[in-house]
Amino acid sequence: MVMHSREKILDAVKRNQPENTSLPAIPFFEQPFTDLAQKFSEVVQAIGGEVHPVSSYAQINTILKEEFGNKTIFTSAKELTELVDTGITYANAHAFADLELAVVEAHLAVAENGAVWVTEDLLQERALPFIAQHLALIIHPENIVPTMHDAYAKIGTLDYGFATFIAGPSKTADIEQSLVLGAHGPKSLLVFLLTK
Amino acid sequence: MPKTIAEHPALADKFNQDEERVNWHDQTLWWVRAKRDKAAHTLPEWEELRNLASQIKHNVLANLSEYLIQFEENALKNGIQVHWAADAQEHNAIVKSILQKQGVSQLVKSKSMLTEECHLNEYLQQEGIEVIDTDLGERIVQLAEEPPSHIVLPCIHKKKEEIGELFHLHLGTPAGNADPDFLTAAARLHLREKFLTRKIAITGVNFAIAETGEFVVCTNEGNADMGAHLAEVHIACMGIEKLIPLRRHLGVFLRLLTRSATGQPITTYSSHFKKPRPGQEMHIVLVDNGRSRQLGRKDFRNSLKCIRCGACMNTCPVYRRSGGHSYHNAIAGPIGSILAPNLNMKDYADLPFASTLCGSCTNVCPVKIDIHDQLYKWRQVLVQEGYAPAAKKAAMQGMAFTFSHPAFYRMAGKTGKWFMKTTPFVINNNLNPWFKQRDMPEPPKESFHDWYKKNRQQNGHA
Ligand code: SF4
């Protein structure tokens, strides 16, 4: 029955397809902004995130300690694991249900929309950046690209199991269009712009 | 006409009984439309992006069978199980069979207009399976036992006091509390428990990529991700038109989608699912349900380019003042009125008439669907097929007649002008549904035809 529907659908689609037209070439559009880190920071703030320019992991740690005290922190950023005592052992993502803060280092970010590209290998658990009450992302300013076109040019046909663009904290405006941060995912987003 | 479904004008009348709410609804959606304009105007390449998106989608329609085969091949390689459903019934049966195999009778579901179209929730409920919608707006309408009234803003028709009351009844929040922050926090706690305990998650699909066999799901709330990453089985349901050829085409579509929808530069999460996580099962259900038929309708196939941004609804003067439920279809508004008659001409014959044909929808559509032209063409098809609603049929036939008889058109124009000038209130009657509760505009001093003739003559062309 399954095969039957497959053939039926493909057959009907093929019969009804219009005449072919070629795929357009997609240009890289020149943007009106030139300072990528500045544009990125502006957009992240506009969509409810907080940006901290920093120059070392130790500095990140200090800021996190100030903001989160002794609350539970889990980090998948290698340089931070030595500094942050997570105190969490976990069997699966459900163990993160009460996690206060997740810290994730990312390879790529987009200036035009404040989106940060995070791939599975940086997460340990796919649920991590969604389930934590708060999220911190670490970005190196040289990894910020102007637009989504540039981002996909960098991503190319990279293999991954899961990857996501994260732009700001989780949000909803479903109740009378009032913006509320923290729908199901993190209630706040900290972005560290780490210059080496 | 022997119809069990109420028609758009009657349902719009119902919505219009609460004038204050209608005004609020109207203004809120217009505000969302204005945010869309602002976002679009920040990109100098906006129009070029719309052209690119439309061209890519055209290529998709022309090669859909090949892209589907390519997508399936790559998805299978990635370890995703692929299912094909010819119609809504088969889609629902496939979902049920996956649940049965797992011996599971509870699940969480993020937003999927396709599952709305297939009436999956009702079907599963009848089978004794509990579905929890996890998008806040969808959860609200689910508690109210209503369908979503908008594809992006499911409970845009509801006031916060009503939501407070629903939460008080179902989630035990204090009576009288209608604060959006408080209610959202309550829903967060309520739904977190569901995410952590449900073994199966259903999500929709925004884009599926033939080149890589992956699919992308966009949300602001993070509910699709919470569901999928915490569940042992992830079922993604999609219409076959969601295919795009290459991953890098996402650059075009993700730039357009949310700017068109809410004016945000991008949704909070644009998640790319390529493989199940170790130990997880991932299924994708490819659904036709009339899409291949629409593909064969030359005048209407462009409607399959839709990326479900909702911009055509937000801008539509009829949608804004009649409400999503007046369309009695999973997808409301201008695009829903093109898609619905393809599913059932008889039941949805009223919808292409629920438009002023002002063209605002066409102007905002990010994939450049000729929405208002298609609505006009559906009217002709429906009249020819004998499905047009009675009151509209008379008006339509009159229009068809005048358009095909130029001399009569000239006279009718002049007469109409005289008629409106002399008796503006007469036209405001039940024979002319669109002018119900509206005052006719001031008629121009001379008809367009007179003006055109005069100007042509002045320019020496007549
Ligand atoms: S028809 Fe166009 S404007 Fe309307 S929802 Fe679809 S993509 Fe958006």
Side-chain angles (χ1 to χ4, degrees), chain B residues 14-30:
Chain B
K14 212 172 119 200
F15 187 70
N16 273 269
Q17 277 161 13
D18 185 347
E19 196 177 325
E20 215 178 295
R21 184 191 302 254
V22 176
N23 290 338
W24 181 83
H25 189 262
D26 179 25
Q27 281 155 17
T28 307
L29 287 160
W30 186 252

Side-chain angles (χ1 to χ4, degrees), chain B residues 193-243:
Chain B
E193 189 267 324
K194 311 291 178 208
F195 288 128
L196 288 163
T197 52
R198 299 308 188 255
K199 292 195 164 58
I200 295 194
I202 296 181
T203 69
V205 169
N206 290 88
F207 305 98
I209 301 146
E211 174 190 36
T212 57
E214 74 193 301
F215 56 92
V216 175
V217 184
C218 305
T219 73
N220 276 323
E221 298 183 4
N223 57 315
D225 287 282
M226 283 290 277
H229 303 318
L230 291 168
E232 287 162 25
V233 180
H234 175 186
I235 309 171
C237 303
M238 60 175 268
I240 52 174
E241 83 284 17
K242 295 274 156 176
L243 261 283

Side-chain angles (χ1 to χ4, degrees), chain B residues 2 52 69-70 82 98 196 246 283 384 401-402 409 446 461:
Chain B
L52 287 170
I69 292 168
Q70 193 192 354
V82 181
I98 298 170
L196 288 163
L246 304 174
H283 298 260
Q384 267 160 26
F401 178 78
T402 48
Y409 162 67
E446 52 187 349
H461 292 302

Side-chain angles (χ1 to χ4, degrees), chain B residues 163-183:
Chain B
I163 298 166
E165 179 62 21
L166 277 171
F167 278 26
H168 171 60
L169 279 173
H170 295 276
L171 310 186
T173 56
N177 194 326
D179 175 54
D181 278 293
F182 176 80
L183 295 176

Side-chain angles (χ1 to χ4, degrees), chain B residues 151 305-313 335 361 364-367 369 371:
Chain B
I151 59 175
K305 293 180 176 178
C306 175
I307 57 172
R308 305 283 191 268
C309 72
C312 57
M313 298 165 204
I335 186 64
C361 45
V364 296
C365 177
V367 287
I369 300 171
I371 306 172

